[in-house]
């Protein structure tokens, strides 16, 4: 037995990398969690899948391309690109050793969350574009940008992964892949890839446009039952305006996404770096707006306190309700301001209907603020003390 069929869990590659558990398949390779026994660290190892039906020529071509692009990918060093540590071959099967990332790929993220907040899409998109710009500057085109090849780490960092289909942009290099070969994932395939034409950095930008569209609209721009159906739509059909699927997407962001989805590579933005900068520019006023919104929220809370002091309970309750409504729109219902507003509403209720009517509300806010903010948080301590005092007459 030779090649990929002899490789699996327990295999020691080149006397150094012990395969421990399968992580998934894709890009003509199988990925394993492994132990680098020389350095005592966990890594991810991708082994080229050698299929029995391949001819000797096709097998040699794929092995050569995998080795060639693996070494090229190993030269990349960027915060938004998964680090490649090593490359080699075991029993004729090339393999790539990468950092083992703790997080979720965006395929899973989108499945679990659906459409993402615009502020998150701006951040994630800028990071992906920055990683692509670094690869393009080193002469590499990824060719398979899709949610499953983008990893979201717990701290919000995005890593571009899996350069298994990457191609070097070098007109002096002999082509090892037939001009008509179609490589990539159908929902995220550029028109030129679908037609078997030359793939350039602009092809990655089209795929990035598909990914941003999916992040915003809960799905890529096109759906089809077959790869041929996808190819036809990428080449001939204009995507539905994203504003129809997601009306709250700002016009500049929608315009950028549709520019990335231009059928002609020449009509797309000039570089991934340009895309990253445009997304960052859009994020700046959004962040400023969030800061301004917080000032408004705390001003509303102060108004509520003043109205409570004047025993204008109904008006105070409306101010606190407005704070909670605005926080919900910002997607930060667990913020300290939310618990302050809920505490204010409980006191307004107490003023209108007496302590007995509000005791349960005080206890609930105190319990949930302690869980969300931590028992030592000043607001959580204040709410706990207040709830305890109000509950005392019942005991």
């Amino acid at each position: 037995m030779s090649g990929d069929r002899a490789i699996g869990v327990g295999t020691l590659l080149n006397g150094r990398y012990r395969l421990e558990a399968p992580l998934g398949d894709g890009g003509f390779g199988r990925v394993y969690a492994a132990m680098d026994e020389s350095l005592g660290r966990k890594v991810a190892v991708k082994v080229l899948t050698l299929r029995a039906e391949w001819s000797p020529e096709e097998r040699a071509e794929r092995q050569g391309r995998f080795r060639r692009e693996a070494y090229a990918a190993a030269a990349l060093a960027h915060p938004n690109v998964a680090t490649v540590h090593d490359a080699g071959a075991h029993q004729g099967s090339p393999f790539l050793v990468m950092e083992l990332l703790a997080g979720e790929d965006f395929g899973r993220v989108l499945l679990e969350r659906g459409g993402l907040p615009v502020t998150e899409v701006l951040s994630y998109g800028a990071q992906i574009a920055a990683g692509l710009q670094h690869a393009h500057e080193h002469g590499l085109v990824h060719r398979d940008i899709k949610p499953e090849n983008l990893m979201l780490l717990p701290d919000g960092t995005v890593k571009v992964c899996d350069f298994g289909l990457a191609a070097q942009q070098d007109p002096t290099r002999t082509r090892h892949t037939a001009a008509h070969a179609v490589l990539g994932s159908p929902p995220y395939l550029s028109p030129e890839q679908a037609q078997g034409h030359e793939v350039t950095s602009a092809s990655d930008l089209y795929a990035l446009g598909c990914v941003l569209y999916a992040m915003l609209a809960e799905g890529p721009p096109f759906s089809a039952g077959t790869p041929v159906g996808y190819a036809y739509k990428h080449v001939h059909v204009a995507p539905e305006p994203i504003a129809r699927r997601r009306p709250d997407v700002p016009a500049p962001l929608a315009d950028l996404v549709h520019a990335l989805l231009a059928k002609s590579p020449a009509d797309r933005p000039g570089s991934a770096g340009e895309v990253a900068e445009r997304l960052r520019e859009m994020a700046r006023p959004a962040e400023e707006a969030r800061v301004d919104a917080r000032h408004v929220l705390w001003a509303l809370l102060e108004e509520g306190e003043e109205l409570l002091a004047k025993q204008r309970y109904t008006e105070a309750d409306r101010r606190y309700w407005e704070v909670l409504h605005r926080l919900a729109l910002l997607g930060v219902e667990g913020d300290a301001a939310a618990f302050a507003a809920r505490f204010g509403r409980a006191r307004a209720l107490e003023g209108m209907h007496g302590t007995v009517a509000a005791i349960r509300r005080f206890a609930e806010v105190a319990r949930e603020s302690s869980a969300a903010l931590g028992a030592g948080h000043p607001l959580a301590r204040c709410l706990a003390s207040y709830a305890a005092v109000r509950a005392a007459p019942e005991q």
Side-chain angles (χ1 to χ4, degrees):
M1 184 175 288
S2 64
D4 172 69
R5 290 172 293 174
I7 296 175
V9 173
T11 300
L12 184 64
L13 304 181
N14 284 8
R16 178 171 179 176
Y17 304 106
R18 179 79 64 184
L19 304 184
E20 296 185 333
L23 296 178
D25 296 277
F28 300 115
R30 180 166 297 148
V31 182
Y32 298 88
M35 173 61 72
D36 179 347
E37 297 192 347
S38 293
L39 297 179
R41 65 178 174 183
K42 296 281 189 177
V43 295
V45 175
K46 181 172 183 178
V47 183
L48 176 65
T49 301
L50 299 177
R51 300 177 182 171
E53 66 270 20
W54 288 348
S55 67
E57 294 77 14
E58 186 175 13
R59 180 175 292 243
E61 187 278 326
R62 292 185 187 276
Q63 288 176 310
R65 187 177 73 232
F66 188 96
R67 289 193 186 96
R68 197 166 55 252
E69 314 312 346
Y71 284 109
L76 301 180
H78 189 274
N80 299 118
V81 175
T83 302
V84 174
H85 297 307
D86 193 9
H90 181 85
Q91 298 181 355
S93 289
F95 64 85
L96 193 62
V97 182
M98 304 163 285
E99 63 176 317
L100 184 63
L101 300 172
E104 289 188 316
D105 68 68
F106 272 93
R108 184 178 297 276
V109 171
L110 295 179
L111 183 63
E112 294 176 348
R113 297 180 56 189
L116 303 178
V118 168
T119 52
E120 290 186 28
V121 174
L122 292 173
S123 172
Y124 301 153
Q127 293 183 67
I128 297 165
L132 287 176
Q133 178 65 21
H134 180 73
H136 296 165
E137 288 173 351
H138 284 73
L140 278 181
V141 180
H142 190 286
R143 296 202 294 184
D144 197 24
I145 291 296
K146 59 183 179 180
E148 291 75 11
N149 284 340
L150 303 167
M151 185 71 75
L152 177 61
L153 306 189
D155 66 356
T157 300
V158 180
K159 297 268 191 177
V160 180
C161 305
D162 199 346
F163 281 80
L165 295 185
Q168 288 181 302
Q169 297 184 96
D170 184 353
T172 66
R173 181 181 289 278
T174 302
R175 289 181 67 106
H176 292 264
T177 304
H180 63 274
V182 177
L183 300 173
S185 302
Y188 302 91
L189 202 65
S190 69
E192 56 270 26
Q193 282 173 284
Q195 297 176 91
H197 295 166
E198 181 182 6
V199 175
T200 68
S201 58
S203 307
D204 283 347
L205 296 187
Y206 182 91
L208 174 58
C210 292
V211 168
L212 295 178
Y213 195 106
M215 287 181 176
L216 292 165
E218 302 188 29
F222 303 113
S223 59
T226 65
V228 172
Y230 277 111
Y232 179 86
K233 290 186 175 182
H234 284 303
V235 174
H236 299 291
V237 178
E240 180 182 8
I242 199 164
R244 291 184 188 170
R245 293 205 197 178
R246 180 83 179 269
D248 67 318
V249 173
L253 177 56
D255 291 343
L256 176 57
V257 171
H258 284 286
L260 289 166
L261 294 175
K263 302 301 184 187
S264 171
D267 294 333
R268 297 169 203 154
S271 69
E274 176 190 328
V275 174
E277 183 54 34
R278 288 173 66 177
L279 290 168
R280 292 190 198 105
E281 285 294 327
M282 293 179 211
R284 289 186 187 111
E287 182 57 33
E288 290 169 4
R290 288 176 69 89
V291 173
D292 291 341
R294 289 189 177 278
H295 288 310
V296 172
L297 293 174
W298 286 104
L300 286 169
L301 286 171
E302 289 180 8
E303 287 182 25
E305 293 299 311
E306 292 173 2
L307 290 167
L308 278 181
K310 297 175 182 178
Q311 299 183 3
R312 293 161 63 178
Y313 302 120
T314 301
E315 293 175 71
D317 185 63
R318 287 175 184 163
R319 296 295 190 281
Y320 295 127
W321 179 89
E322 187 174 350
V323 170
L324 291 170
H325 178 66
R326 290 177 181 242
L327 286 169
L329 291 177
L330 290 171
V332 286
E333 294 93 333
D335 190 87
F339 293 107
R342 290 175 60 188
F343 180 48
R345 295 199 76 189
R347 284 182 292 143
L349 177 65
E350 181 182 31
M352 290 185 283
H353 301 292
T355 300
V356 174
I359 284 177
R360 182 179 298 176
R361 189 80 60 85
F362 287 130
E364 180 182 276
V365 176
R367 182 177 63 255
E368 294 182 10
S369 66
S370 180
L373 305 176
H377 191 282
L379 179 59
R381 292 204 309 269
C382 173
L383 298 183
S385 296
Y386 196 96
V389 169
R390 286 298 182 267
E394 278 199 341
Q395 295 175 354

